Amino acid sequence: MRRVRSDRGLTLLEVTIAVVLIASVAGGALALLDSSNALTRSVNDQRAAALRVDRALASISDEFRKGSLATAVHLDGTTFGDGESGTGFQIRPVRGWNGSVLTGDLVRYEFELPTGATEGELVRTEGGVETVLVRGITSFDVSRSGNVFVFKASSRSGPTDDRERRASGEIRVMARNP
């Protein structure tokens, strides 16, 4: 009985072609996985930067709305004039009313950027107790326009190359109290 070629097994050429095809498919899958991981890192970096900005602005706007507009001053204690700006502010929260406004201890918000650094932190100080609200902030600014205060914050996340992700935000707040 004569054996048919298909009964004898695979030739070296057929095995080589199969290995090349499997390697190509596996390589494509790995490249897709690597690309997917890079996209995930990029999205996470963008989210981290945006969360820092949101956390800073939400805390400040809430505190400012509870504060007395008459006590909102620069870090050095001078009054905010219309159009003036700074890297922080101080304000006294309104605690109640007894024929006049009763205010609490002075609350200070300050952007601290160490010399030569590109990122700093937003620090809240009340009664001598410092609390770091947010780290990784690249800029913070407060300015006054009439009775409205504008707070701006920026942050970055990720490597310092083309993969770097930035976020910035702005909120306009008017103190509810005189």
Side-chain angles (χ1 to χ4, degrees), residues 89-119:
F89 69 98
Q90 300 179 87
I91 194 166
R92 292 185 183 278
V94 173
R95 299 287 187 219
W97 180 267
N98 189 10
S100 65
V101 175
L102 301 174
T103 59
D105 292 337
L106 197 63
V107 179
R108 177 184 179 99
Y109 282 86
E110 182 176 10
F111 175 56
E112 295 181 355
L113 182 66
T115 305
T118 58
E119 295 179 1

Short mmCIF file of all heavy atoms in Angstrom, two decimals, residues 89-119:
data_model
loop_
_atom_site.label_atom_id
_atom_site.label_comp_id
_atom_site.label_asym_id
_atom_site.label_seq_id
_atom_site.Cartn_x
_atom_site.Cartn_y
_atom_site.Cartn_z
N PHE A 89 -5.23 84.06 49.86
CA PHE A 89 -6.11 85.03 50.50
C PHE A 89 -6.37 84.60 51.93
O PHE A 89 -6.08 83.48 52.33
CB PHE A 89 -7.43 85.18 49.73
CG PHE A 89 -8.31 83.96 49.81
CD1 PHE A 89 -9.36 83.89 50.73
CD2 PHE A 89 -8.10 82.87 48.98
CE1 PHE A 89 -10.16 82.77 50.82
CE2 PHE A 89 -8.90 81.74 49.06
CZ PHE A 89 -9.93 81.69 49.98
N GLN A 90 -6.97 85.52 52.68
CA GLN A 90 -7.42 85.23 54.04
C GLN A 90 -8.87 85.71 54.16
O GLN A 90 -9.24 86.70 53.54
CB GLN A 90 -6.57 85.99 55.06
CG GLN A 90 -5.10 85.63 55.01
CD GLN A 90 -4.30 86.42 56.02
OE1 GLN A 90 -4.19 85.99 57.15
NE2 GLN A 90 -3.77 87.56 55.61
N ILE A 91 -9.65 85.01 54.94
CA ILE A 91 -11.05 85.38 55.14
C ILE A 91 -11.50 84.85 56.50
O ILE A 91 -10.99 83.84 56.98
CB ILE A 91 -11.94 84.85 54.00
CG1 ILE A 91 -13.31 85.50 54.02
CG2 ILE A 91 -12.02 83.33 54.03
CD1 ILE A 91 -14.13 85.29 52.76
N ARG A 92 -12.44 85.55 57.10
CA ARG A 92 -13.02 85.10 58.36
C ARG A 92 -14.40 84.50 58.08
O ARG A 92 -15.24 85.14 57.45
CB ARG A 92 -13.16 86.25 59.35
CG ARG A 92 -11.84 86.77 59.85
CD ARG A 92 -12.05 87.85 60.93
NE ARG A 92 -10.79 88.39 61.35
CZ ARG A 92 -9.98 87.84 62.25
NH1 ARG A 92 -10.31 86.71 62.81
NH2 ARG A 92 -8.84 88.41 62.57
N PRO A 93 -14.66 83.30 58.58
CA PRO A 93 -15.98 82.70 58.39
C PRO A 93 -17.02 83.38 59.28
O PRO A 93 -16.70 83.83 60.38
CB PRO A 93 -15.79 81.24 58.80
CG PRO A 93 -14.62 81.26 59.73
CD PRO A 93 -13.75 82.41 59.29
N VAL A 94 -18.24 83.49 58.78
CA VAL A 94 -19.33 84.04 59.57
C VAL A 94 -19.87 82.93 60.46
O VAL A 94 -20.28 81.87 59.98
CB VAL A 94 -20.45 84.61 58.66
CG1 VAL A 94 -21.65 85.04 59.50
CG2 VAL A 94 -19.91 85.77 57.85
N ARG A 95 -19.86 83.16 61.77
CA ARG A 95 -20.30 82.17 62.75
C ARG A 95 -21.73 82.43 63.22
O ARG A 95 -22.36 81.55 63.78
CB ARG A 95 -19.37 82.15 63.96
CG ARG A 95 -17.95 81.80 63.63
CD ARG A 95 -17.83 80.33 63.31
NE ARG A 95 -16.43 79.97 63.17
CZ ARG A 95 -15.98 79.14 62.27
NH1 ARG A 95 -16.81 78.56 61.43
NH2 ARG A 95 -14.70 78.87 62.18
N GLY A 96 -22.21 83.64 63.04
CA GLY A 96 -23.57 83.94 63.49
C GLY A 96 -23.86 85.43 63.42
O GLY A 96 -23.13 86.20 62.80
N TRP A 97 -24.95 85.79 64.07
CA TRP A 97 -25.41 87.17 64.05
C TRP A 97 -25.95 87.51 65.43
O TRP A 97 -26.74 86.77 66.00
CB TRP A 97 -26.51 87.34 63.00
CG TRP A 97 -27.06 88.72 62.90
CD1 TRP A 97 -28.15 89.22 63.54
CD2 TRP A 97 -26.54 89.79 62.13
NE1 TRP A 97 -28.35 90.52 63.23
CE2 TRP A 97 -27.36 90.91 62.34
CE3 TRP A 97 -25.47 89.92 61.26
CZ2 TRP A 97 -27.15 92.13 61.75
CZ3 TRP A 97 -25.26 91.14 60.66
CH2 TRP A 97 -26.09 92.24 60.89
N ASN A 98 -25.50 88.65 65.98
CA ASN A 98 -25.98 89.12 67.26
C ASN A 98 -26.01 90.63 67.21
O ASN A 98 -25.23 91.30 67.88
CB ASN A 98 -25.07 88.60 68.39
CG ASN A 98 -25.64 88.89 69.77
OD1 ASN A 98 -26.80 89.30 69.90
ND2 ASN A 98 -24.83 88.70 70.79
N GLY A 99 -26.89 91.17 66.38
CA GLY A 99 -26.92 92.61 66.16
C GLY A 99 -25.88 93.05 65.15
O GLY A 99 -25.98 94.11 64.55
N SER A 100 -24.87 92.25 64.99
CA SER A 100 -23.84 92.45 63.97
C SER A 100 -23.27 91.07 63.63
O SER A 100 -23.54 90.08 64.31
CB SER A 100 -22.75 93.39 64.48
OG SER A 100 -22.06 92.81 65.56
N VAL A 101 -22.46 91.05 62.61
CA VAL A 101 -21.88 89.79 62.16
C VAL A 101 -20.85 89.29 63.17
O VAL A 101 -19.99 90.04 63.62
CB VAL A 101 -21.21 89.97 60.78
CG1 VAL A 101 -20.51 88.69 60.34
CG2 VAL A 101 -22.23 90.39 59.74
N LEU A 102 -20.96 88.01 63.53
CA LEU A 102 -19.96 87.37 64.40
C LEU A 102 -19.08 86.50 63.52
O LEU A 102 -19.57 85.60 62.83
CB LEU A 102 -20.65 86.50 65.46
CG LEU A 102 -21.62 87.21 66.40
CD1 LEU A 102 -22.31 86.19 67.30
CD2 LEU A 102 -20.89 88.25 67.24
N THR A 103 -17.79 86.80 63.51
CA THR A 103 -16.88 86.05 62.65
C THR A 103 -15.95 85.17 63.49
O THR A 103 -15.71 85.43 64.66
CB THR A 103 -16.02 86.99 61.78
OG1 THR A 103 -15.27 87.86 62.62
CG2 THR A 103 -16.90 87.80 60.83
N GLY A 104 -15.44 84.14 62.85
CA GLY A 104 -14.51 83.22 63.49
C GLY A 104 -13.07 83.61 63.23
O GLY A 104 -12.78 84.71 62.77
N ASP A 105 -12.18 82.66 63.51
CA ASP A 105 -10.76 82.88 63.29
C ASP A 105 -10.46 83.04 61.81
O ASP A 105 -11.13 82.48 60.95
CB ASP A 105 -9.95 81.69 63.82
CG ASP A 105 -10.00 81.58 65.33
OD1 ASP A 105 -10.26 82.60 65.99
OD2 ASP A 105 -9.79 80.46 65.85
N LEU A 106 -9.42 83.79 61.55
CA LEU A 106 -8.97 84.01 60.18
C LEU A 106 -8.53 82.69 59.56
O LEU A 106 -7.80 81.91 60.15
CB LEU A 106 -7.80 84.99 60.19
CG LEU A 106 -7.44 85.67 58.88
CD1 LEU A 106 -8.60 86.53 58.40
CD2 LEU A 106 -6.21 86.53 59.07
N VAL A 107 -9.03 82.41 58.34
CA VAL A 107 -8.65 81.22 57.59
C VAL A 107 -7.79 81.69 56.42
O VAL A 107 -8.17 82.60 55.69
CB VAL A 107 -9.88 80.43 57.09
CG1 VAL A 107 -9.45 79.22 56.29
CG2 VAL A 107 -10.76 80.03 58.26
N ARG A 108 -6.66 81.04 56.25
CA ARG A 108 -5.69 81.46 55.23
C ARG A 108 -5.52 80.34 54.20
O ARG A 108 -5.34 79.18 54.56
CB ARG A 108 -4.36 81.74 55.93
CG ARG A 108 -3.23 82.11 55.05
CD ARG A 108 -1.96 82.25 55.93
NE ARG A 108 -0.81 82.59 55.15
CZ ARG A 108 -0.31 83.80 55.01
NH1 ARG A 108 -0.89 84.81 55.62
NH2 ARG A 108 0.76 84.01 54.27
N TYR A 109 -5.60 80.69 52.93
CA TYR A 109 -5.33 79.78 51.82
C TYR A 109 -4.13 80.32 51.07
O TYR A 109 -4.14 81.47 50.65
CB TYR A 109 -6.53 79.68 50.87
CG TYR A 109 -7.63 78.81 51.38
CD1 TYR A 109 -8.61 79.31 52.22
CD2 TYR A 109 -7.71 77.47 51.02
CE1 TYR A 109 -9.63 78.51 52.69
CE2 TYR A 109 -8.72 76.66 51.48
CZ TYR A 109 -9.68 77.19 52.31
OH TYR A 109 -10.68 76.38 52.77
N GLU A 110 -3.12 79.48 50.91
CA GLU A 110 -1.90 79.94 50.26
C GLU A 110 -1.32 78.87 49.35
O GLU A 110 -1.27 77.70 49.71
CB GLU A 110 -0.87 80.30 51.33
CG GLU A 110 0.42 80.84 50.80
CD GLU A 110 1.37 81.28 51.90
OE1 GLU A 110 1.13 81.00 53.09
OE2 GLU A 110 2.40 81.90 51.55
N PHE A 111 -0.89 79.30 48.17
CA PHE A 111 -0.20 78.43 47.23
C PHE A 111 1.28 78.49 47.57
O PHE A 111 1.90 79.54 47.51
CB PHE A 111 -0.45 78.88 45.80
CG PHE A 111 0.32 78.11 44.76
CD1 PHE A 111 0.22 76.73 44.67
CD2 PHE A 111 1.15 78.76 43.87
CE1 PHE A 111 0.93 76.02 43.72
CE2 PHE A 111 1.85 78.06 42.91
CZ PHE A 111 1.74 76.69 42.84
N GLU A 112 1.85 77.35 47.98
CA GLU A 112 3.26 77.29 48.33
C GLU A 112 4.01 76.54 47.24
O GLU A 112 3.76 75.36 47.00
CB GLU A 112 3.45 76.61 49.68
CG GLU A 112 2.85 77.39 50.83
CD GLU A 112 3.05 76.74 52.17
OE1 GLU A 112 3.59 75.60 52.24
OE2 GLU A 112 2.67 77.36 53.18
N LEU A 113 4.93 77.25 46.59
CA LEU A 113 5.75 76.69 45.52
C LEU A 113 7.21 76.82 45.93
O LEU A 113 7.75 77.93 45.94
CB LEU A 113 5.48 77.43 44.21
CG LEU A 113 6.22 76.93 42.98
CD1 LEU A 113 5.75 75.52 42.60
CD2 LEU A 113 5.99 77.88 41.81
N PRO A 114 7.85 75.71 46.29
CA PRO A 114 9.26 75.79 46.68
C PRO A 114 10.12 76.36 45.56
O PRO A 114 9.83 76.17 44.37
CB PRO A 114 9.64 74.33 46.96
CG PRO A 114 8.34 73.63 47.23
CD PRO A 114 7.33 74.35 46.39
N THR A 115 11.19 77.04 45.93
CA THR A 115 12.10 77.64 44.96
C THR A 115 12.63 76.58 44.00
O THR A 115 13.11 75.54 44.42
CB THR A 115 13.27 78.33 45.68
OG1 THR A 115 12.75 79.27 46.61
CG2 THR A 115 14.18 79.05 44.69
N GLY A 116 12.50 76.85 42.71
CA GLY A 116 13.00 75.95 41.68
C GLY A 116 12.05 74.81 41.33
O GLY A 116 12.29 74.07 40.39
N ALA A 117 10.97 74.65 42.08
CA ALA A 117 10.03 73.55 41.83
C ALA A 117 9.00 73.98 40.79
O ALA A 117 8.74 75.18 40.60
CB ALA A 117 9.32 73.15 43.11
N THR A 118 8.41 73.01 40.11
CA THR A 118 7.36 73.30 39.13
C THR A 118 5.98 72.99 39.68
O THR A 118 4.98 73.37 39.08
CB THR A 118 7.57 72.47 37.85
OG1 THR A 118 7.57 71.08 38.19
CG2 THR A 118 8.87 72.84 37.16
N GLU A 119 5.94 72.30 40.82
CA GLU A 119 4.66 71.97 41.45
C GLU A 119 4.73 72.33 42.93
O GLU A 119 5.75 72.17 43.58
CB GLU A 119 4.36 70.47 41.33
CG GLU A 119 4.15 70.00 39.94
CD GLU A 119 3.87 68.50 39.88
OE1 GLU A 119 3.84 67.83 40.94
OE2 GLU A 119 3.71 68.00 38.77
#
